[in-house]
Amino acid sequence: MLPLGFLGWIIIGGLAGWAGSKIMGTDEQQGILMNIVVGVLGGLVGGMILGLLLDVNSGGWIFSFVTCLLGAILLLWIYKAVKGRTT
């Protein structure tokens, strides 16, 4: 299986960030660039967390998407929790 390149992470991260923002109800507040950032950062966070439990390097595109999605949802949940306390 080929590893994901830079463009692959941008595409998967953007899709995962968009899906995560839809699930968390923050899509109206974010643009495409922020969806990509949240998805890619979510991939890093999700990869670190799932890396403790599973072998994340052997997963394919779908596993990478799910990892990014779970990380994006976690990041957006934390953001909403912090934002909710300050306002």
Side-chain angles (χ1 to χ4, degrees):
M1 178 166 305
L2 294 173
L4 295 175
F6 181 73
L7 185 60
W9 280 112
I10 296 295
I11 292 169
I12 288 179
L15 291 172
W18 172 76
S21 67
K22 285 289 193 187
I23 291 169
M24 295 301 292
T26 60
D27 189 48
E28 300 301 321
Q29 302 159 3
Q30 298 178 183
I32 190 169
L33 182 62
M34 196 60 184
N35 282 339
I36 293 171
V37 170
V38 167
V40 171
L41 290 177
L44 293 173
V45 170
M48 287 190 304
I49 293 171
L50 288 179
L52 298 172
L53 306 171
L54 305 168
D55 179 20
V56 294
N57 293 327
S58 64
W61 286 80
I62 294 173
F63 185 77
S64 296
F65 174 77
V66 171
T67 301
C68 291
L69 179 61
L70 293 175
I73 290 171
L74 179 64
L75 287 177
L76 291 170
W77 179 78
I78 292 170
Y79 172 75
K80 286 177 76 169
V82 169
K83 183 181 172 193
R85 285 190 191 159
T86 59
T87 57

